[in-house]
mmCIF file of all heavy atoms in Angstrom:
data_model
loop_
_atom_site.group_PDB
_atom_site.id
_atom_site.type_symbol
_atom_site.label_atom_id
_atom_site.label_comp_id
_atom_site.label_asym_id
_atom_site.label_seq_id
_atom_site.Cartn_x
_atom_site.Cartn_y
_atom_site.Cartn_z
ATOM 1 N N ASN A 1 12.455 11.514 -7.318
ATOM 2 C CA ASN A 1 12.317 11.145 -8.724
ATOM 3 C C ASN A 1 10.920 10.692 -9.116
ATOM 4 O O ASN A 1 10.729 10.158 -10.206
ATOM 5 C CB ASN A 1 13.331 10.045 -9.060
ATOM 6 C CG ASN A 1 14.739 10.590 -9.094
ATOM 7 O OD1 ASN A 1 15.122 11.264 -10.036
ATOM 8 N ND2 ASN A 1 15.505 10.335 -8.044
ATOM 9 N N LEU A 2 9.960 10.886 -8.236
ATOM 10 C CA LEU A 2 8.585 10.513 -8.559
ATOM 11 C C LEU A 2 7.950 11.560 -9.468
ATOM 12 O O LEU A 2 8.151 12.760 -9.280
ATOM 13 C CB LEU A 2 7.745 10.387 -7.285
ATOM 14 C CG LEU A 2 8.119 9.247 -6.339
ATOM 15 C CD1 LEU A 2 7.277 9.325 -5.071
ATOM 16 C CD2 LEU A 2 7.942 7.898 -7.021
ATOM 17 N N ILE A 3 7.181 11.089 -10.437
ATOM 18 C CA ILE A 3 6.404 12.012 -11.254
ATOM 19 C C ILE A 3 5.205 12.482 -10.434
ATOM 20 O O ILE A 3 4.809 11.821 -9.477
ATOM 21 C CB ILE A 3 5.940 11.354 -12.580
ATOM 22 C CG1 ILE A 3 5.024 10.147 -12.296
ATOM 23 C CG2 ILE A 3 7.110 10.973 -13.449
ATOM 24 C CD1 ILE A 3 4.361 9.551 -13.524
ATOM 25 N N ILE A 4 4.661 13.600 -10.786
ATOM 26 C CA ILE A 4 3.444 14.071 -10.123
ATOM 27 C C ILE A 4 2.291 13.345 -10.791
ATOM 28 O O ILE A 4 2.057 13.487 -11.990
ATOM 29 C CB ILE A 4 3.300 15.594 -10.240
ATOM 30 C CG1 ILE A 4 4.462 16.263 -9.512
ATOM 31 C CG2 ILE A 4 1.958 16.045 -9.689
ATOM 32 C CD1 ILE A 4 4.540 17.756 -9.699
ATOM 33 N N ASN A 5 1.601 12.522 -9.994
ATOM 34 C CA ASN A 5 0.526 11.703 -10.537
ATOM 35 C C ASN A 5 -0.472 11.440 -9.419
ATOM 36 O O ASN A 5 -0.079 11.168 -8.278
ATOM 37 C CB ASN A 5 1.106 10.396 -11.081
ATOM 38 C CG ASN A 5 0.156 9.663 -11.984
ATOM 39 O OD1 ASN A 5 -0.942 9.318 -11.571
ATOM 40 N ND2 ASN A 5 0.582 9.411 -13.213
ATOM 41 N N SER A 6 -1.734 11.472 -9.751
ATOM 42 C CA SER A 6 -2.772 11.334 -8.725
ATOM 43 C C SER A 6 -2.800 9.960 -8.068
ATOM 44 O O SER A 6 -3.339 9.818 -6.973
ATOM 45 C CB SER A 6 -4.145 11.648 -9.322
ATOM 46 O OG SER A 6 -4.437 10.713 -10.352
ATOM 47 N N ASN A 7 -2.222 8.942 -8.690
ATOM 48 C CA ASN A 7 -2.262 7.612 -8.074
ATOM 49 C C ASN A 7 -0.936 7.244 -7.388
ATOM 50 O O ASN A 7 -0.703 6.088 -7.074
ATOM 51 C CB ASN A 7 -2.728 6.540 -9.054
ATOM 52 C CG ASN A 7 -1.934 6.477 -10.342
ATOM 53 O OD1 ASN A 7 -1.334 7.454 -10.758
ATOM 54 N ND2 ASN A 7 -1.940 5.330 -10.974
ATOM 55 N N ILE A 8 -0.073 8.219 -7.135
ATOM 56 C CA ILE A 8 1.153 8.001 -6.362
ATOM 57 C C ILE A 8 1.059 8.818 -5.081
ATOM 58 O O ILE A 8 0.812 10.018 -5.113
ATOM 59 C CB ILE A 8 2.414 8.431 -7.139
ATOM 60 C CG1 ILE A 8 2.576 7.620 -8.424
ATOM 61 C CG2 ILE A 8 3.654 8.269 -6.250
ATOM 62 C CD1 ILE A 8 3.752 8.079 -9.288
ATOM 63 N N THR A 9 1.263 8.144 -3.938
ATOM 64 C CA THR A 9 1.246 8.817 -2.645
ATOM 65 C C THR A 9 2.550 8.534 -1.913
ATOM 66 O O THR A 9 2.913 7.367 -1.722
ATOM 67 C CB THR A 9 0.062 8.301 -1.784
ATOM 68 O OG1 THR A 9 -1.154 8.499 -2.499
ATOM 69 C CG2 THR A 9 0.010 9.016 -0.444
ATOM 70 N N LEU A 10 3.236 9.582 -1.520
ATOM 71 C CA LEU A 10 4.455 9.427 -0.720
ATOM 72 C C LEU A 10 4.073 9.346 0.742
ATOM 73 O O LEU A 10 3.354 10.204 1.261
ATOM 74 C CB LEU A 10 5.410 10.602 -0.950
ATOM 75 C CG LEU A 10 6.683 10.581 -0.107
ATOM 76 C CD1 LEU A 10 7.563 9.393 -0.481
ATOM 77 C CD2 LEU A 10 7.445 11.889 -0.272
ATOM 78 N N LEU A 11 4.542 8.300 1.420
ATOM 79 C CA LEU A 11 4.387 8.153 2.868
ATOM 80 C C LEU A 11 5.762 8.447 3.461
ATOM 81 O O LEU A 11 6.655 7.599 3.415
ATOM 82 C CB LEU A 11 3.911 6.748 3.230
ATOM 83 C CG LEU A 11 2.597 6.288 2.577
ATOM 84 C CD1 LEU A 11 2.305 4.834 2.918
ATOM 85 C CD2 LEU A 11 1.455 7.181 3.011
ATOM 86 N N PRO A 12 5.972 9.651 3.995
ATOM 87 C CA PRO A 12 7.309 10.039 4.459
ATOM 88 C C PRO A 12 7.823 9.156 5.592
ATOM 89 O O PRO A 12 7.120 8.894 6.562
ATOM 90 C CB PRO A 12 7.128 11.478 4.935
ATOM 91 C CG PRO A 12 5.865 11.938 4.309
ATOM 92 C CD PRO A 12 5.000 10.728 4.161
ATOM 93 N N PHE A 13 9.058 8.712 5.435
ATOM 94 C CA PHE A 13 9.748 7.899 6.438
ATOM 95 C C PHE A 13 10.596 8.834 7.287
ATOM 96 O O PHE A 13 11.280 9.717 6.773
ATOM 97 C CB PHE A 13 10.634 6.862 5.746
ATOM 98 C CG PHE A 13 11.361 5.963 6.695
ATOM 99 C CD1 PHE A 13 10.776 4.786 7.133
ATOM 100 C CD2 PHE A 13 12.631 6.276 7.154
ATOM 101 C CE1 PHE A 13 11.437 3.942 8.013
ATOM 102 C CE2 PHE A 13 13.300 5.436 8.037
ATOM 103 C CZ PHE A 13 12.695 4.265 8.461
ATOM 104 N N THR A 14 10.540 8.619 8.601
ATOM 105 C CA THR A 14 11.360 9.388 9.535
ATOM 106 C C THR A 14 12.041 8.407 10.477
ATOM 107 O O THR A 14 11.381 7.530 11.042
ATOM 108 C CB THR A 14 10.481 10.366 10.351
ATOM 109 O OG1 THR A 14 9.748 11.192 9.436
ATOM 110 C CG2 THR A 14 11.327 11.231 11.256
ATOM 111 N N ASP A 15 13.345 8.559 10.628
ATOM 112 C CA ASP A 15 14.082 7.691 11.552
ATOM 113 C C ASP A 15 13.442 7.743 12.933
ATOM 114 O O ASP A 15 13.144 8.822 13.449
ATOM 115 C CB ASP A 15 15.546 8.126 11.650
ATOM 116 C CG ASP A 15 16.315 7.913 10.358
ATOM 117 O OD1 ASP A 15 15.976 6.991 9.600
ATOM 118 O OD2 ASP A 15 17.263 8.682 10.112
ATOM 119 N N GLY A 16 13.225 6.562 13.522
ATOM 120 C CA GLY A 16 12.717 6.479 14.884
ATOM 121 C C GLY A 16 11.209 6.575 15.028
ATOM 122 O O GLY A 16 10.701 6.407 16.128
ATOM 123 N N ILE A 17 10.496 6.839 13.935
ATOM 124 C CA ILE A 17 9.028 6.975 13.988
ATOM 125 C C ILE A 17 8.398 5.780 13.267
ATOM 126 O O ILE A 17 8.709 5.523 12.103
ATOM 127 C CB ILE A 17 8.561 8.286 13.302
ATOM 128 C CG1 ILE A 17 9.250 9.501 13.904
ATOM 129 C CG2 ILE A 17 7.037 8.408 13.352
ATOM 130 C CD1 ILE A 17 8.922 9.788 15.341
ATOM 131 N N PRO A 18 7.513 5.027 13.945
ATOM 132 C CA PRO A 18 6.874 3.875 13.289
ATOM 133 C C PRO A 18 6.074 4.286 12.051
ATOM 134 O O PRO A 18 5.478 5.358 12.018
ATOM 135 C CB PRO A 18 5.928 3.320 14.353
ATOM 136 C CG PRO A 18 6.423 3.867 15.650
ATOM 137 C CD PRO A 18 7.063 5.191 15.327
ATOM 138 N N ILE A 19 6.109 3.417 11.040
ATOM 139 C CA ILE A 19 5.318 3.641 9.828
ATOM 140 C C ILE A 19 4.664 2.326 9.424
ATOM 141 O O ILE A 19 5.292 1.270 9.469
ATOM 142 C CB ILE A 19 6.155 4.235 8.683
ATOM 143 C CG1 ILE A 19 5.238 4.645 7.526
ATOM 144 C CG2 ILE A 19 7.248 3.288 8.220
ATOM 145 C CD1 ILE A 19 5.836 5.682 6.617
ATOM 146 N N TYR A 20 3.393 2.421 9.076
ATOM 147 C CA TYR A 20 2.607 1.257 8.699
ATOM 148 C C TYR A 20 2.228 1.357 7.226
ATOM 149 O O TYR A 20 1.602 2.351 6.833
ATOM 150 C CB TYR A 20 1.319 1.189 9.525
ATOM 151 C CG TYR A 20 1.547 0.922 10.992
ATOM 152 C CD1 TYR A 20 1.862 1.953 11.867
ATOM 153 C CD2 TYR A 20 1.454 -0.368 11.486
ATOM 154 C CE1 TYR A 20 2.082 1.705 13.216
ATOM 155 C CE2 TYR A 20 1.671 -0.620 12.838
ATOM 156 C CZ TYR A 20 1.981 0.414 13.694
ATOM 157 O OH TYR A 20 2.198 0.165 15.022
ATOM 158 N N PRO A 21 2.597 0.372 6.425
ATOM 159 C CA PRO A 21 2.110 0.372 5.044
ATOM 160 C C PRO A 21 0.584 0.248 5.058
ATOM 161 O O PRO A 21 0.013 -0.316 5.995
ATOM 162 C CB PRO A 21 2.738 -0.884 4.435
ATOM 163 C CG PRO A 21 3.842 -1.266 5.350
ATOM 164 C CD PRO A 21 3.460 -0.760 6.710
ATOM 165 N N PRO A 22 -0.098 0.768 4.034
ATOM 166 C CA PRO A 22 -1.554 0.616 3.984
ATOM 167 C C PRO A 22 -1.951 -0.857 4.106
ATOM 168 O O PRO A 22 -1.314 -1.733 3.521
ATOM 169 C CB PRO A 22 -1.927 1.169 2.610
ATOM 170 C CG PRO A 22 -0.811 2.122 2.297
ATOM 171 C CD PRO A 22 0.413 1.523 2.910
ATOM 172 N N VAL A 23 -2.982 -1.119 4.885
ATOM 173 C CA VAL A 23 -3.385 -2.491 5.222
ATOM 174 C C VAL A 23 -3.675 -3.334 3.995
ATOM 175 O O VAL A 23 -3.284 -4.490 3.923
ATOM 176 C CB VAL A 23 -4.625 -2.471 6.153
ATOM 177 C CG1 VAL A 23 -5.132 -3.871 6.420
ATOM 178 C CG2 VAL A 23 -4.294 -1.768 7.449
ATOM 179 N N ASP A 24 -4.326 -2.770 3.010
ATOM 180 C CA ASP A 24 -4.744 -3.557 1.856
ATOM 181 C C ASP A 24 -3.784 -3.466 0.669
ATOM 182 O O ASP A 24 -4.115 -3.847 -0.443
ATOM 183 C CB ASP A 24 -6.158 -3.168 1.425
ATOM 184 C CG ASP A 24 -6.317 -1.661 1.275
ATOM 185 O OD1 ASP A 24 -5.374 -0.913 1.611
ATOM 186 O OD2 ASP A 24 -7.385 -1.245 0.801
ATOM 187 N N ALA A 25 -2.573 -2.953 0.896
ATOM 188 C CA ALA A 25 -1.582 -2.840 -0.173
ATOM 189 C C ALA A 25 -0.593 -3.999 -0.099
ATOM 190 O O ALA A 25 -0.316 -4.536 0.971
ATOM 191 C CB ALA A 25 -0.834 -1.517 -0.063
ATOM 192 N N ILE A 26 -0.056 -4.369 -1.244
ATOM 193 C CA ILE A 26 1.030 -5.351 -1.306
ATOM 194 C C ILE A 26 2.322 -4.580 -1.067
ATOM 195 O O ILE A 26 2.621 -3.619 -1.774
ATOM 196 C CB ILE A 26 1.068 -6.054 -2.673
ATOM 197 C CG1 ILE A 26 -0.232 -6.830 -2.900
ATOM 198 C CG2 ILE A 26 2.284 -6.974 -2.773
ATOM 199 C CD1 ILE A 26 -0.411 -7.340 -4.322
ATOM 200 N N LEU A 27 3.068 -4.982 -0.048
ATOM 201 C CA LEU A 27 4.321 -4.314 0.304
ATOM 202 C C LEU A 27 5.456 -4.910 -0.521
ATOM 203 O O LEU A 27 5.695 -6.115 -0.478
ATOM 204 C CB LEU A 27 4.603 -4.478 1.805
ATOM 205 C CG LEU A 27 5.903 -3.880 2.331
ATOM 206 C CD1 LEU A 27 5.954 -2.369 2.103
ATOM 207 C CD2 LEU A 27 6.064 -4.204 3.805
ATOM 208 N N VAL A 28 6.138 -4.058 -1.274
ATOM 209 C CA VAL A 28 7.268 -4.479 -2.115
ATOM 210 C C VAL A 28 8.522 -3.870 -1.520
ATOM 211 O O VAL A 28 8.609 -2.648 -1.348
ATOM 212 C CB VAL A 28 7.098 -3.995 -3.574
ATOM 213 C CG1 VAL A 28 8.278 -4.442 -4.429
ATOM 214 C CG2 VAL A 28 5.781 -4.495 -4.156
ATOM 215 N N MET A 29 9.478 -4.730 -1.188
ATOM 216 C CA MET A 29 10.730 -4.238 -0.626
ATOM 217 C C MET A 29 11.888 -5.131 -1.060
ATOM 218 O O MET A 29 11.681 -6.268 -1.481
ATOM 219 C CB MET A 29 10.660 -4.159 0.900
ATOM 220 C CG MET A 29 10.372 -5.465 1.596
ATOM 221 S SD MET A 29 10.048 -5.281 3.364
ATOM 222 C CE MET A 29 11.660 -4.835 3.983
ATOM 223 N N GLN A 30 13.077 -4.591 -0.991
ATOM 224 C CA GLN A 30 14.258 -5.378 -1.316
ATOM 225 C C GLN A 30 14.366 -6.529 -0.328
ATOM 226 O O GLN A 30 14.125 -6.357 0.868
ATOM 227 C CB GLN A 30 15.510 -4.511 -1.243
ATOM 228 C CG GLN A 30 16.787 -5.278 -1.528
ATOM 229 C CD GLN A 30 18.029 -4.428 -1.359
ATOM 230 O OE1 GLN A 30 18.022 -3.423 -0.672
ATOM 231 N NE2 GLN A 30 19.101 -4.837 -1.992
ATOM 232 N N SER A 31 14.709 -7.703 -0.829
ATOM 233 C CA SER A 31 14.868 -8.827 0.089
ATOM 234 C C SER A 31 16.096 -8.580 0.967
ATOM 235 O O SER A 31 17.159 -8.220 0.488
ATOM 236 C CB SER A 31 14.985 -10.145 -0.673
ATOM 237 O OG SER A 31 16.068 -10.103 -1.573
ATOM 238 N N ILE A 32 15.856 -8.742 2.257
ATOM 239 C CA ILE A 32 16.927 -8.581 3.237
ATOM 240 C C ILE A 32 16.709 -9.619 4.328
ATOM 241 O O ILE A 32 15.641 -10.210 4.431
ATOM 242 C CB ILE A 32 16.960 -7.159 3.844
ATOM 243 C CG1 ILE A 32 15.636 -6.824 4.534
ATOM 244 C CG2 ILE A 32 17.320 -6.126 2.815
ATOM 245 C CD1 ILE A 32 15.654 -5.480 5.257
ATOM 246 N N LEU A 33 17.717 -9.804 5.121
ATOM 247 C CA LEU A 33 17.588 -10.720 6.241
ATOM 248 C C LEU A 33 16.532 -10.173 7.199
ATOM 249 O O LEU A 33 16.491 -8.959 7.453
ATOM 250 C CB LEU A 33 18.928 -10.877 6.947
ATOM 251 C CG LEU A 33 19.998 -11.537 6.062
ATOM 252 C CD1 LEU A 33 21.374 -11.317 6.647
ATOM 253 C CD2 LEU A 33 19.708 -13.019 5.901
ATOM 254 N N PRO A 34 15.665 -11.020 7.710
ATOM 255 C CA PRO A 34 14.553 -10.553 8.544
ATOM 256 C C PRO A 34 14.970 -9.667 9.711
ATOM 257 O O PRO A 34 14.294 -8.689 10.023
ATOM 258 C CB PRO A 34 13.913 -11.844 9.044
ATOM 259 C CG PRO A 34 14.323 -12.880 8.071
ATOM 260 C CD PRO A 34 15.657 -12.458 7.523
ATOM 261 N N TYR A 35 16.092 -9.981 10.340
ATOM 262 C CA TYR A 35 16.524 -9.181 11.477
ATOM 263 C C TYR A 35 17.101 -7.828 11.052
ATOM 264 O O TYR A 35 17.366 -6.975 11.890
ATOM 265 C CB TYR A 35 17.531 -9.934 12.353
ATOM 266 C CG TYR A 35 18.771 -10.409 11.617
ATOM 267 C CD1 TYR A 35 19.825 -9.555 11.344
ATOM 268 C CD2 TYR A 35 18.885 -11.735 11.210
ATOM 269 C CE1 TYR A 35 20.949 -9.981 10.671
ATOM 270 C CE2 TYR A 35 20.008 -12.178 10.543
ATOM 271 C CZ TYR A 35 21.041 -11.296 10.272
ATOM 272 O OH TYR A 35 22.142 -11.730 9.600
ATOM 273 N N SER A 36 17.257 -7.608 9.734
ATOM 274 C CA SER A 36 17.778 -6.339 9.229
ATOM 275 C C SER A 36 16.678 -5.345 8.878
ATOM 276 O O SER A 36 16.967 -4.208 8.530
ATOM 277 C CB SER A 36 18.626 -6.579 7.977
ATOM 278 O OG SER A 36 19.709 -7.425 8.276
ATOM 279 N N ILE A 37 15.424 -5.774 8.951
ATOM 280 C CA ILE A 37 14.318 -4.879 8.633
ATOM 281 C C ILE A 37 14.283 -3.758 9.666
ATOM 282 O O ILE A 37 14.348 -4.008 10.876
ATOM 283 C CB ILE A 37 12.982 -5.644 8.594
ATOM 284 C CG1 ILE A 37 13.001 -6.663 7.447
ATOM 285 C CG2 ILE A 37 11.801 -4.686 8.438
ATOM 286 C CD1 ILE A 37 11.798 -7.580 7.404
ATOM 287 N N ARG A 38 14.214 -2.539 9.195
ATOM 288 C CA ARG A 38 14.211 -1.387 10.090
ATOM 289 C C ARG A 38 13.084 -1.501 11.111
ATOM 290 O O ARG A 38 11.962 -1.872 10.760
ATOM 291 C CB ARG A 38 14.017 -0.092 9.283
ATOM 292 C CG ARG A 38 15.096 0.236 8.257
ATOM 293 C CD ARG A 38 16.285 0.925 8.856
ATOM 294 N NE ARG A 38 15.985 2.090 9.631
ATOM 295 C CZ ARG A 38 16.232 3.346 9.255
ATOM 296 N NH1 ARG A 38 16.757 3.612 8.095
ATOM 297 N NH2 ARG A 38 15.951 4.345 10.069
ATOM 298 N N PRO A 39 13.344 -1.190 12.380
ATOM 299 C CA PRO A 39 12.307 -1.318 13.410
ATOM 300 C C PRO A 39 11.143 -0.355 13.202
ATOM 301 O O PRO A 39 10.049 -0.598 13.713
ATOM 302 C CB PRO A 39 13.055 -1.016 14.709
ATOM 303 C CG PRO A 39 14.259 -0.237 14.306
ATOM 304 C CD PRO A 39 14.621 -0.728 12.923
ATOM 305 N N GLU A 40 11.346 0.726 12.451
ATOM 306 C CA GLU A 40 10.264 1.676 12.203
ATOM 307 C C GLU A 40 9.159 1.063 11.333
ATOM 308 O O GLU A 40 8.001 1.452 11.437
ATOM 309 C CB GLU A 40 10.788 2.941 11.493
ATOM 310 C CG GLU A 40 11.725 3.766 12.327
ATOM 311 C CD GLU A 40 13.193 3.386 12.132
ATOM 312 O OE1 GLU A 40 13.485 2.303 11.563
ATOM 313 O OE2 GLU A 40 14.051 4.162 12.551
ATOM 314 N N LEU A 41 9.528 0.134 10.451
ATOM 315 C CA LEU A 41 8.555 -0.473 9.548
ATOM 316 C C LEU A 41 7.733 -1.499 10.309
ATOM 317 O O LEU A 41 8.240 -2.511 10.787
ATOM 318 C CB LEU A 41 9.246 -1.147 8.360
ATOM 319 C CG LEU A 41 8.320 -1.821 7.354
ATOM 320 C CD1 LEU A 41 7.391 -0.810 6.688
ATOM 321 C CD2 LEU A 41 9.116 -2.580 6.312
#
């Protein structure tokens, strides 16, 4: 549902593969219990 826009970048998530948010970005995520955070993130 993302619009095509030059300032939007999709970082594809894959089960079992680590993913790092950009270092200088503010990470916005749904609040969840800390132990429920996916290990890939």
Side-chain angles (χ1 to χ4, degrees):
N1 288 285
L2 293 175
I3 62 172
I4 297 173
N5 196 302
S6 62
N7 54 335
I8 299 176
T9 303
L10 177 65
L11 303 175
F13 181 89
T14 305
D15 293 331
I17 305 295
I19 189 158
Y20 293 83
V23 175
D24 50 354
I26 298 169
L27 178 60
V28 180
M29 59 189 290
Q30 178 184 22
S31 58
I32 59 175
L33 295 164
Y35 57 80
S36 300
I37 295 174
R38 298 277 307 252
E40 294 91 345
L41 180 63

